[in-house]
PDB file of all heavy atoms in Angstrom:
ATOM      1  N   VAL A 124     133.856 166.691  89.697  1.00 86.00           N
ATOM      2  CA  VAL A 124     134.284 165.408  89.127  1.00 86.00           C
ATOM      3  C   VAL A 124     134.493 164.470  90.329  1.00 86.00           C
ATOM      4  O   VAL A 124     134.702 164.928  91.445  1.00 86.00           O
ATOM      5  CB  VAL A 124     135.614 165.536  88.349  1.00 86.00           C
ATOM      6  CG1 VAL A 124     135.424 166.338  87.093  1.00 86.00           C
ATOM      7  CG2 VAL A 124     136.726 166.124  89.214  1.00 86.00           C
ATOM      8  N   VAL A 125     134.419 163.169  90.054  1.00 87.00           N
ATOM      9  CA  VAL A 125     134.713 162.205  91.126  1.00 87.00           C
ATOM     10  C   VAL A 125     136.185 162.360  91.482  1.00 87.00           C
ATOM     11  O   VAL A 125     137.047 162.351  90.610  1.00 87.00           O
ATOM     12  CB  VAL A 125     134.434 160.751  90.660  1.00 87.00           C
ATOM     13  CG1 VAL A 125     134.844 159.761  91.739  1.00 87.00           C
ATOM     14  CG2 VAL A 125     132.973 160.585  90.320  1.00 87.00           C
ATOM     15  N   GLN A 126     136.432 162.580  92.743  1.00 89.00           N
ATOM     16  CA  GLN A 126     137.806 162.908  93.141  1.00 89.00           C
ATOM     17  C   GLN A 126     138.132 162.134  94.414  1.00 89.00           C
ATOM     18  O   GLN A 126     137.478 162.334  95.432  1.00 89.00           O
ATOM     19  CB  GLN A 126     137.879 164.422  93.375  1.00 89.00           C
ATOM     20  CG  GLN A 126     139.197 164.980  93.785  1.00 89.00           C
ATOM     21  CD  GLN A 126     140.249 164.870  92.706  1.00 89.00           C
ATOM     22  OE1 GLN A 126     140.825 163.820  92.557  1.00 89.00           O
ATOM     23  NE2 GLN A 126     140.497 165.938  91.979  1.00 89.00           N
ATOM     24  N   THR A 127     139.103 161.240  94.310  1.00 92.00           N
ATOM     25  CA  THR A 127     139.525 160.504  95.501  1.00 92.00           C
ATOM     26  C   THR A 127     141.012 160.715  95.714  1.00 92.00           C
ATOM     27  O   THR A 127     141.723 161.141  94.800  1.00 92.00           O
ATOM     28  CB  THR A 127     139.274 158.986  95.344  1.00 92.00           C
ATOM     29  OG1 THR A 127     139.874 158.574  94.126  1.00 92.00           O
ATOM     30  CG2 THR A 127     137.808 158.659  95.349  1.00 92.00           C
ATOM     31  N   ASN A 128     141.465 160.442  96.905  1.00 97.00           N
ATOM     32  CA  ASN A 128     142.894 160.478  97.202  1.00 97.00           C
ATOM     33  C   ASN A 128     143.099 159.414  98.276  1.00 97.00           C
ATOM     34  O   ASN A 128     142.591 159.545  99.389  1.00 97.00           O
ATOM     35  CB  ASN A 128     143.291 161.866  97.715  1.00 97.00           C
ATOM     36  CG  ASN A 128     144.784 162.125  97.697  1.00 97.00           C
ATOM     37  OD1 ASN A 128     145.234 163.173  98.137  1.00 97.00           O
ATOM     38  ND2 ASN A 128     145.586 161.207  97.193  1.00 97.00           N
ATOM     39  N   GLU A 129     143.780 158.350  97.923  1.00 97.00           N
ATOM     40  CA  GLU A 129     143.890 157.190  98.810  1.00 97.00           C
ATOM     41  C   GLU A 129     145.199 157.188  99.584  1.00 97.00           C
ATOM     42  O   GLU A 129     146.256 156.834  99.035  1.00 97.00           O
ATOM     43  CB  GLU A 129     143.809 155.905  97.969  1.00 97.00           C
ATOM     44  CG  GLU A 129     142.423 155.549  97.521  1.00 97.00           C
ATOM     45  CD  GLU A 129     141.461 155.295  98.670  1.00 97.00           C
ATOM     46  OE1 GLU A 129     141.923 154.898  99.784  1.00 97.00           O
ATOM     47  OE2 GLU A 129     140.266 155.524  98.493  1.00 97.00           O
ATOM     48  N   PRO A 130     145.167 157.519 100.869  1.00 98.00           N
ATOM     49  CA  PRO A 130     146.408 157.540 101.645  1.00 98.00           C
ATOM     50  C   PRO A 130     147.053 156.170 101.791  1.00 98.00           C
ATOM     51  O   PRO A 130     148.256 156.082 102.022  1.00 98.00           O
ATOM     52  CB  PRO A 130     145.969 158.069 103.015  1.00 98.00           C
ATOM     53  CG  PRO A 130     144.535 158.360 102.946  1.00 98.00           C
ATOM     54  CD  PRO A 130     143.983 157.932 101.640  1.00 98.00           C
ATOM     55  N   ARG A 132     147.892 154.259  99.629  1.00 98.00           N
ATOM     56  CA  ARG A 132     148.922 154.065  98.587  1.00 98.00           C
ATOM     57  C   ARG A 132     150.287 154.557  99.039  1.00 98.00           C
ATOM     58  O   ARG A 132     151.292 154.309  98.381  1.00 98.00           O
ATOM     59  CB  ARG A 132     148.475 154.743  97.286  1.00 98.00           C
ATOM     60  CG  ARG A 132     147.250 154.069  96.707  1.00 98.00           C
ATOM     61  CD  ARG A 132     146.702 154.714  95.453  1.00 98.00           C
ATOM     62  NE  ARG A 132     145.409 154.118  95.136  1.00 98.00           N
ATOM     63  CZ  ARG A 132     144.370 154.771  94.623  1.00 98.00           C
ATOM     64  NH1 ARG A 132     144.462 156.059  94.343  1.00 98.00           N
ATOM     65  NH2 ARG A 132     143.236 154.148  94.381  1.00 98.00           N
ATOM     66  N   GLU A 163     154.964 164.291  92.356  1.00 98.00           N
ATOM     67  CA  GLU A 163     153.770 163.475  92.107  1.00 98.00           C
ATOM     68  C   GLU A 163     152.862 164.118  91.057  1.00 98.00           C
ATOM     69  O   GLU A 163     152.406 165.259  91.220  1.00 98.00           O
ATOM     70  CB  GLU A 163     152.971 163.259  93.398  1.00 98.00           C
ATOM     71  CG  GLU A 163     151.745 162.382  93.117  1.00 98.00           C
ATOM     72  CD  GLU A 163     150.974 161.950  94.347  1.00 98.00           C
ATOM     73  OE1 GLU A 163     151.201 162.506  95.435  1.00 98.00           O
ATOM     74  OE2 GLU A 163     150.123 161.046  94.194  1.00 98.00           O
ATOM     75  N   VAL A 164     152.580 163.356  90.028  1.00 98.00           N
ATOM     76  CA  VAL A 164     151.638 163.792  88.984  1.00 98.00           C
ATOM     77  C   VAL A 164     150.266 163.197  89.309  1.00 98.00           C
ATOM     78  O   VAL A 164     150.164 162.006  89.614  1.00 98.00           O
ATOM     79  CB  VAL A 164     152.111 163.310  87.594  1.00 98.00           C
ATOM     80  CG1 VAL A 164     151.066 163.628  86.531  1.00 98.00           C
ATOM     81  CG2 VAL A 164     153.445 163.946  87.245  1.00 98.00           C
ATOM     82  N   GLY A 165     149.223 164.019  89.271  1.00 97.00           N
ATOM     83  CA  GLY A 165     147.873 163.531  89.613  1.00 97.00           C
ATOM     84  C   GLY A 165     147.748 163.335  91.116  1.00 97.00           C
ATOM     85  O   GLY A 165     147.225 162.337  91.599  1.00 97.00           O
ATOM     86  N   ALA A 166     148.228 164.336  91.881  1.00 98.00           N
ATOM     87  CA  ALA A 166     148.353 164.182  93.341  1.00 98.00           C
ATOM     88  C   ALA A 166     147.038 164.399  94.077  1.00 98.00           C
ATOM     89  O   ALA A 166     146.969 164.166  95.292  1.00 98.00           O
ATOM     90  CB  ALA A 166     149.406 165.152  93.869  1.00 98.00           C
ATOM     91  N   SER A 167     145.998 164.888  93.401  1.00 97.00           N
ATOM     92  CA  SER A 167     144.688 165.126  94.017  1.00 97.00           C
ATOM     93  C   SER A 167     144.832 166.095  95.201  1.00 97.00           C
ATOM     94  O   SER A 167     145.176 167.254  95.014  1.00 97.00           O
ATOM     95  CB  SER A 167     144.071 163.782  94.424  1.00 97.00           C
ATOM     96  OG  SER A 167     142.796 163.958  94.942  1.00 97.00           O
ATOM     97  N   GLY A 168     144.646 165.634  96.423  1.00 98.00           N
ATOM     98  CA  GLY A 168     144.818 166.518  97.592  1.00 98.00           C
ATOM     99  C   GLY A 168     146.223 166.452  98.173  1.00 98.00           C
ATOM    100  O   GLY A 168     146.484 167.052  99.215  1.00 98.00           O
ATOM    101  N   ASN A 171     149.476 161.730  99.551  1.00 98.00           N
ATOM    102  CA  ASN A 171     150.600 160.781  99.491  1.00 98.00           C
ATOM    103  C   ASN A 171     151.937 161.496  99.335  1.00 98.00           C
ATOM    104  O   ASN A 171     152.929 160.876  98.942  1.00 98.00           O
ATOM    105  CB  ASN A 171     150.374 159.767  98.362  1.00 98.00           C
ATOM    106  CG  ASN A 171     149.242 158.811  98.704  1.00 98.00           C
ATOM    107  OD1 ASN A 171     149.179 158.290  99.822  1.00 98.00           O
ATOM    108  ND2 ASN A 171     148.326 158.605  97.775  1.00 98.00           N
ATOM    109  N   CYS A 220     151.210 167.960  91.317  1.00 98.00           N
ATOM    110  CA  CYS A 220     150.295 168.710  90.448  1.00 98.00           C
ATOM    111  C   CYS A 220     149.057 167.865  90.198  1.00 98.00           C
ATOM    112  O   CYS A 220     149.079 166.649  90.377  1.00 98.00           O
ATOM    113  CB  CYS A 220     150.959 169.063  89.118  1.00 98.00           C
ATOM    114  SG  CYS A 220     150.957 167.717  87.925  1.00 98.00           S
ATOM    115  N   ASP A 221     147.995 168.518  89.790  1.00 97.00           N
ATOM    116  CA  ASP A 221     146.766 167.814  89.411  1.00 97.00           C
ATOM    117  C   ASP A 221     145.941 168.736  88.516  1.00 97.00           C
ATOM    118  O   ASP A 221     145.983 169.964  88.678  1.00 97.00           O
ATOM    119  CB  ASP A 221     145.947 167.433  90.653  1.00 97.00           C
ATOM    120  CG  ASP A 221     144.959 166.317  90.360  1.00 97.00           C
ATOM    121  OD1 ASP A 221     143.952 166.569  89.673  1.00 97.00           O
ATOM    122  OD2 ASP A 221     145.221 165.174  90.783  1.00 97.00           O
ATOM    123  N   LEU A 222     145.211 168.125  87.592  1.00 94.00           N
ATOM    124  CA  LEU A 222     144.296 168.922  86.758  1.00 94.00           C
ATOM    125  C   LEU A 222     143.218 169.553  87.626  1.00 94.00           C
ATOM    126  O   LEU A 222     142.762 170.655  87.357  1.00 94.00           O
ATOM    127  CB  LEU A 222     143.616 168.013  85.734  1.00 94.00           C
ATOM    128  CG  LEU A 222     144.369 167.627  84.474  1.00 94.00           C
ATOM    129  CD1 LEU A 222     143.495 166.711  83.628  1.00 94.00           C
ATOM    130  CD2 LEU A 222     144.786 168.860  83.688  1.00 94.00           C
ATOM    131  N   ASN A 223     142.799 168.822  88.666  1.00 93.00           N
ATOM    132  CA  ASN A 223     141.766 169.298  89.600  1.00 93.00           C
ATOM    133  C   ASN A 223     142.267 169.130  91.024  1.00 93.00           C
ATOM    134  O   ASN A 223     141.807 168.252  91.744  1.00 93.00           O
ATOM    135  CB  ASN A 223     140.476 168.476  89.434  1.00 93.00           C
ATOM    136  CG  ASN A 223     139.893 168.596  88.062  1.00 93.00           C
ATOM    137  OD1 ASN A 223     139.412 169.647  87.679  1.00 93.00           O
ATOM    138  ND2 ASN A 223     139.956 167.515  87.307  1.00 93.00           N
ATOM    139  N   PRO A 224     143.209 169.952  91.454  1.00 96.00           N
ATOM    140  CA  PRO A 224     143.743 169.754  92.807  1.00 96.00           C
ATOM    141  C   PRO A 224     142.687 170.032  93.861  1.00 96.00           C
ATOM    142  O   PRO A 224     141.799 170.858  93.653  1.00 96.00           O
ATOM    143  CB  PRO A 224     144.879 170.781  92.887  1.00 96.00           C
ATOM    144  CG  PRO A 224     144.545 171.810  91.875  1.00 96.00           C
ATOM    145  CD  PRO A 224     143.770 171.142  90.795  1.00 96.00           C
ATOM    146  N   VAL A 225     142.793 169.329  94.971  1.00 97.00           N
ATOM    147  CA  VAL A 225     141.883 169.558  96.095  1.00 97.00           C
ATOM    148  C   VAL A 225     142.701 170.211  97.205  1.00 97.00           C
ATOM    149  O   VAL A 225     143.749 169.681  97.597  1.00 97.00           O
ATOM    150  CB  VAL A 225     141.295 168.222  96.603  1.00 97.00           C
ATOM    151  CG1 VAL A 225     140.355 168.472  97.779  1.00 97.00           C
ATOM    152  CG2 VAL A 225     140.562 167.507  95.478  1.00 97.00           C
ATOM    153  N   SER A 268     147.740 171.917  87.320  1.00 97.00           N
ATOM    154  CA  SER A 268     148.425 171.819  86.027  1.00 97.00           C
ATOM    155  C   SER A 268     148.238 170.416  85.467  1.00 97.00           C
ATOM    156  O   SER A 268     148.094 169.441  86.219  1.00 97.00           O
ATOM    157  CB  SER A 268     149.924 172.086  86.202  1.00 97.00           C
ATOM    158  OG  SER A 268     150.616 171.823  85.011  1.00 97.00           O
ATOM    159  N   ALA A 269     148.318 170.311  84.143  1.00 95.00           N
ATOM    160  CA  ALA A 269     148.430 168.993  83.517  1.00 95.00           C
ATOM    161  C   ALA A 269     149.850 168.495  83.781  1.00 95.00           C
ATOM    162  O   ALA A 269     150.796 169.289  83.922  1.00 95.00           O
ATOM    163  CB  ALA A 269     148.165 169.093  82.032  1.00 95.00           C
ATOM    164  N   GLY A 270     150.002 167.163  83.842  1.00 96.00           N
ATOM    165  CA  GLY A 270     151.263 166.557  84.247  1.00 96.00           C
ATOM    166  C   GLY A 270     152.487 166.956  83.423  1.00 96.00           C
ATOM    167  O   GLY A 270     153.494 167.398  83.982  1.00 96.00           O
ATOM    168  N   PRO A 271     152.435 166.816  82.085  1.00 97.00           N
ATOM    169  CA  PRO A 271     153.676 166.970  81.315  1.00 97.00           C
ATOM    170  C   PRO A 271     154.323 168.350  81.437  1.00 97.00           C
ATOM    171  O   PRO A 271     155.536 168.446  81.651  1.00 97.00           O
ATOM    172  CB  PRO A 271     153.226 166.713  79.872  1.00 97.00           C
ATOM    173  CG  PRO A 271     151.988 165.912  79.992  1.00 97.00           C
ATOM    174  CD  PRO A 271     151.324 166.333  81.258  1.00 97.00           C
ATOM    175  N   TRP A 290     156.435 160.125  90.556  1.00 98.00           N
ATOM    176  CA  TRP A 290     155.496 159.106  91.086  1.00 98.00           C
ATOM    177  C   TRP A 290     154.084 159.408  90.609  1.00 98.00           C
ATOM    178  O   TRP A 290     153.682 160.578  90.577  1.00 98.00           O
ATOM    179  CB  TRP A 290     155.582 159.150  92.613  1.00 98.00           C
ATOM    180  CG  TRP A 290     154.369 158.730  93.403  1.00 98.00           C
ATOM    181  CD1 TRP A 290     153.509 159.560  94.060  1.00 98.00           C
ATOM    182  CD2 TRP A 290     153.912 157.395  93.671  1.00 98.00           C
ATOM    183  NE1 TRP A 290     152.568 158.819  94.722  1.00 98.00           N
ATOM    184  CE2 TRP A 290     152.783 157.491  94.501  1.00 98.00           C
ATOM    185  CE3 TRP A 290     154.356 156.121  93.281  1.00 98.00           C
ATOM    186  CZ2 TRP A 290     152.088 156.375  94.954  1.00 98.00           C
ATOM    187  CZ3 TRP A 290     153.655 155.013  93.730  1.00 98.00           C
ATOM    188  CH2 TRP A 290     152.542 155.144  94.554  1.00 98.00           C
ATOM    189  N   HIS A 291     153.366 158.371  90.194  1.00 98.00           N
ATOM    190  CA  HIS A 291     151.920 158.537  90.027  1.00 98.00           C
ATOM    191  C   HIS A 291     151.197 157.254  90.384  1.00 98.00           C
ATOM    192  O   HIS A 291     151.721 156.149  90.188  1.00 98.00           O
ATOM    193  CB  HIS A 291     151.535 159.054  88.632  1.00 98.00           C
ATOM    194  CG  HIS A 291     151.983 158.237  87.471  1.00 98.00           C
ATOM    195  ND1 HIS A 291     151.325 157.106  87.063  1.00 98.00           N
ATOM    196  CD2 HIS A 291     153.017 158.406  86.609  1.00 98.00           C
ATOM    197  CE1 HIS A 291     151.923 156.625  85.971  1.00 98.00           C
ATOM    198  NE2 HIS A 291     152.967 157.382  85.685  1.00 98.00           N
ATOM    199  N   SER A 292     150.006 157.398  90.947  1.00 97.00           N
ATOM    200  CA  SER A 292     149.200 156.232  91.310  1.00 97.00           C
ATOM    201  C   SER A 292     147.772 156.443  90.825  1.00 97.00           C
ATOM    202  O   SER A 292     147.155 157.482  91.093  1.00 97.00           O
ATOM    203  CB  SER A 292     149.239 155.985  92.821  1.00 97.00           C
ATOM    204  OG  SER A 292     148.732 157.069  93.549  1.00 97.00           O
ATOM    205  N   VAL A 293     147.291 155.426  90.082  1.00 93.00           N
ATOM    206  CA  VAL A 293     145.921 155.402  89.572  1.00 93.00           C
ATOM    207  C   VAL A 293     145.571 156.716  88.868  1.00 93.00           C
ATOM    208  O   VAL A 293     144.534 157.336  89.127  1.00 93.00           O
ATOM    209  CB  VAL A 293     144.911 155.026  90.688  1.00 93.00           C
ATOM    210  CG1 VAL A 293     143.585 154.578  90.080  1.00 93.00           C
ATOM    211  CG2 VAL A 293     145.458 153.913  91.569  1.00 93.00           C
ATOM    212  N   VAL A 294     146.425 157.100  87.963  1.00 93.00           N
ATOM    213  CA  VAL A 294     146.259 158.333  87.195  1.00 93.00           C
ATOM    214  C   VAL A 294     146.247 158.034  85.695  1.00 93.00           C
ATOM    215  O   VAL A 294     145.479 158.633  84.936  1.00 93.00           O
ATOM    216  CB  VAL A 294     147.434 159.313  87.509  1.00 93.00           C
ATOM    217  CG1 VAL A 294     147.412 160.512  86.578  1.00 93.00           C
ATOM    218  CG2 VAL A 294     147.370 159.769  88.964  1.00 93.00           C
ATOM    219  N   TRP A 295     147.068 157.061  85.293  1.00 92.00           N
ATOM    220  CA  TRP A 295     147.357 156.863  83.875  1.00 92.00           C
ATOM    221  C   TRP A 295     146.086 156.681  83.041  1.00 92.00           C
ATOM    222  O   TRP A 295     145.967 157.199  81.938  1.00 92.00           O
ATOM    223  CB  TRP A 295     148.289 155.656  83.735  1.00 92.00           C
ATOM    224  CG  TRP A 295     149.003 155.552  82.438  1.00 92.00           C
ATOM    225  CD1 TRP A 295     148.921 154.518  81.539  1.00 92.00           C
ATOM    226  CD2 TRP A 295     149.942 156.500  81.868  1.00 92.00           C
ATOM    227  NE1 TRP A 295     149.741 154.775  80.469  1.00 92.00           N
ATOM    228  CE2 TRP A 295     150.373 155.971  80.640  1.00 92.00           C
ATOM    229  CE3 TRP A 295     150.438 157.736  82.281  1.00 92.00           C
ATOM    230  CZ2 TRP A 295     151.276 156.642  79.824  1.00 92.00           C
ATOM    231  CZ3 TRP A 295     151.342 158.399  81.465  1.00 92.00           C
ATOM    232  CH2 TRP A 295     151.748 157.854  80.262  1.00 92.00           C
ATOM    233  N   GLN A 296     145.086 155.968  83.597  1.00 87.00           N
ATOM    234  CA  GLN A 296     143.869 155.688  82.821  1.00 87.00           C
ATOM    235  C   GLN A 296     143.092 156.969  82.498  1.00 87.00           C
ATOM    236  O   GLN A 296     142.284 156.992  81.572  1.00 87.00           O
ATOM    237  CB  GLN A 296     142.972 154.708  83.586  1.00 87.00           C
ATOM    238  CG  GLN A 296     142.315 155.298  84.808  1.00 87.00           C
ATOM    239  CD  GLN A 296     142.051 154.256  85.893  1.00 87.00           C
ATOM    240  OE1 GLN A 296     142.924 153.796  86.599  1.00 87.00           O
ATOM    241  NE2 GLN A 296     140.801 153.886  86.032  1.00 87.00           N
ATOM    242  N   TYR A 297     143.335 158.035  83.278  1.00 86.00           N
ATOM    243  CA  TYR A 297     142.591 159.278  83.069  1.00 86.00           C
ATOM    244  C   TYR A 297     143.331 160.246  82.145  1.00 86.00           C
ATOM    245  O   TYR A 297     142.786 161.298  81.788  1.00 86.00           O
ATOM    246  CB  TYR A 297     142.366 159.989  84.417  1.00 86.00           C
ATOM    247  CG  TYR A 297     141.631 159.132  85.422  1.00 86.00           C
ATOM    248  CD1 TYR A 297     142.311 158.519  86.471  1.00 86.00           C
ATOM    249  CD2 TYR A 297     140.260 158.916  85.314  1.00 86.00           C
ATOM    250  CE1 TYR A 297     141.646 157.711  87.393  1.00 86.00           C
ATOM    251  CE2 TYR A 297     139.592 158.116  86.225  1.00 86.00           C
ATOM    252  CZ  TYR A 297     140.291 157.515  87.260  1.00 86.00           C
ATOM    253  OH  TYR A 297     139.625 156.719  88.158  1.00 86.00           O
ATOM    254  N   VAL A 298     144.578 159.934  81.820  1.00 90.00           N
ATOM    255  CA  VAL A 298     145.404 160.880  81.068  1.00 90.00           C
ATOM    256  C   VAL A 298     145.124 160.728  79.571  1.00 90.00           C
ATOM    257  O   VAL A 298     145.055 159.608  79.054  1.00 90.00           O
ATOM    258  CB  VAL A 298     146.906 160.639  81.381  1.00 90.00           C
ATOM    259  CG1 VAL A 298     147.790 161.548  80.552  1.00 90.00           C
ATOM    260  CG2 VAL A 298     147.162 160.849  82.876  1.00 90.00           C
ATOM    261  N   SER A 299     144.972 161.862  78.887  1.00 90.00           N
ATOM    262  CA  SER A 299     144.653 161.827  77.460  1.00 90.00           C
ATOM    263  C   SER A 299     145.846 161.262  76.681  1.00 90.00           C
ATOM    264  O   SER A 299     146.990 161.353  77.139  1.00 90.00           O
ATOM    265  CB  SER A 299     144.347 163.245  76.969  1.00 90.00           C
ATOM    266  OG  SER A 299     145.539 164.012  77.049  1.00 90.00           O
ATOM    267  N   ASP A 302     148.614 163.819  76.311  1.00 94.00           N
ATOM    268  CA  ASP A 302     149.391 164.031  77.539  1.00 94.00           C
ATOM    269  C   ASP A 302     150.292 162.831  77.839  1.00 94.00           C
ATOM    270  O   ASP A 302     151.402 162.982  78.358  1.00 94.00           O
ATOM    271  CB  ASP A 302     148.461 164.297  78.729  1.00 94.00           C
ATOM    272  CG  ASP A 302     148.201 165.789  78.917  1.00 94.00           C
ATOM    273  OD1 ASP A 302     148.699 166.586  78.093  1.00 94.00           O
ATOM    274  OD2 ASP A 302     147.499 166.158  79.877  1.00 94.00           O
ATOM    275  N   PHE A 328     152.220 153.201  90.617  1.00 98.00           N
ATOM    276  CA  PHE A 328     151.300 152.178  91.142  1.00 98.00           C
ATOM    277  C   PHE A 328     150.026 152.314  90.321  1.00 98.00           C
ATOM    278  O   PHE A 328     149.242 153.249  90.524  1.00 98.00           O
ATOM    279  CB  PHE A 328     151.043 152.432  92.630  1.00 98.00           C
ATOM    280  CG  PHE A 328     150.163 151.407  93.279  1.00 98.00           C
ATOM    281  CD1 PHE A 328     150.559 150.080  93.389  1.00 98.00           C
ATOM    282  CD2 PHE A 328     148.925 151.755  93.803  1.00 98.00           C
ATOM    283  CE1 PHE A 328     149.745 149.131  93.994  1.00 98.00           C
ATOM    284  CE2 PHE A 328     148.101 150.814  94.413  1.00 98.00           C
ATOM    285  CZ  PHE A 328     148.520 149.501  94.511  1.00 98.00           C
ATOM    286  N   GLY A 359     143.848 147.971  95.015  1.00 92.00           N
ATOM    287  CA  GLY A 359     143.884 149.316  94.447  1.00 92.00           C
ATOM    288  C   GLY A 359     144.093 150.427  95.465  1.00 92.00           C
ATOM    289  O   GLY A 359     144.603 151.489  95.132  1.00 92.00           O
TER     290      GLY A 359
HETATM  291  C1  LIG B   1     141.922 158.438  90.838  1.00 68.20           C
HETATM  292  S1  LIG B   1     142.688 159.981  91.211  1.00 68.20           S
HETATM  293  C2  LIG B   1     144.159 159.398  92.042  1.00 68.20           C
HETATM  294  C3  LIG B   1     144.726 160.445  92.943  1.00 68.20           C
HETATM  295  C4  LIG B   1     146.010 160.046  93.676  1.00 68.20           C
HETATM  296  N1  LIG B   1     147.077 159.826  92.736  1.00 68.20           N
HETATM  297  C5  LIG B   1     145.817 158.833  94.537  1.00 68.20           C
HETATM  298  O1  LIG B   1     146.410 157.782  94.240  1.00 68.20           O
HETATM  299  O2  LIG B   1     145.090 158.902  95.523  1.00 68.20           O
HETATM  300  C6  LIG B   1     143.335 160.497  89.618  1.00 68.20           C
HETATM  301  C7  LIG B   1     143.826 161.920  89.623  1.00 68.20           C
HETATM  302  O3  LIG B   1     144.518 162.174  88.402  1.00 68.20           O
HETATM  303  C8  LIG B   1     144.274 163.524  88.003  1.00 68.20           C
HETATM  304  N2  LIG B   1     144.620 163.658  86.587  1.00 68.20           N
HETATM  305  C9  LIG B   1     144.030 163.068  85.533  1.00 68.20           C
HETATM  306  N3  LIG B   1     144.652 163.433  84.376  1.00 68.20           N
HETATM  307  C10 LIG B   1     145.666 164.262  84.713  1.00 68.20           C
HETATM  308  C11 LIG B   1     146.670 164.965  83.980  1.00 68.20           C
HETATM  309  N4  LIG B   1     146.746 164.879  82.646  1.00 68.20           N
HETATM  310  N5  LIG B   1     147.560 165.716  84.659  1.00 68.20           N
HETATM  311  C12 LIG B   1     147.473 165.816  86.019  1.00 68.20           C
HETATM  312  N6  LIG B   1     146.541 165.178  86.763  1.00 68.20           N
HETATM  313  C13 LIG B   1     145.647 164.398  86.130  1.00 68.20           C
HETATM  314  C14 LIG B   1     142.802 163.675  88.354  1.00 68.20           C
HETATM  315  O4  LIG B   1     142.429 165.041  88.453  1.00 68.20           O
HETATM  316  C15 LIG B   1     142.722 162.943  89.691  1.00 68.20           C
HETATM  317  O5  LIG B   1     142.956 163.793  90.787  1.00 68.20           O
END
Side-chain angles (χ1 to χ4, degrees):
V124 291
V125 176
Q126 180 67 279
T127 52
N128 196 183
E129 283 299 334
R132 294 177 190 144
E163 181 172 13
V164 174
S167 183
N171 290 314
C220 81
D221 200 288
L222 280 179
N223 299 292
V225 180
S268 172
W290 152 255
H291 57 80
S292 61
V293 198
V294 171
W295 198 240
Q296 71 209 75
Y297 302 104
V298 177
S299 67
D302 268 3
F328 183 64

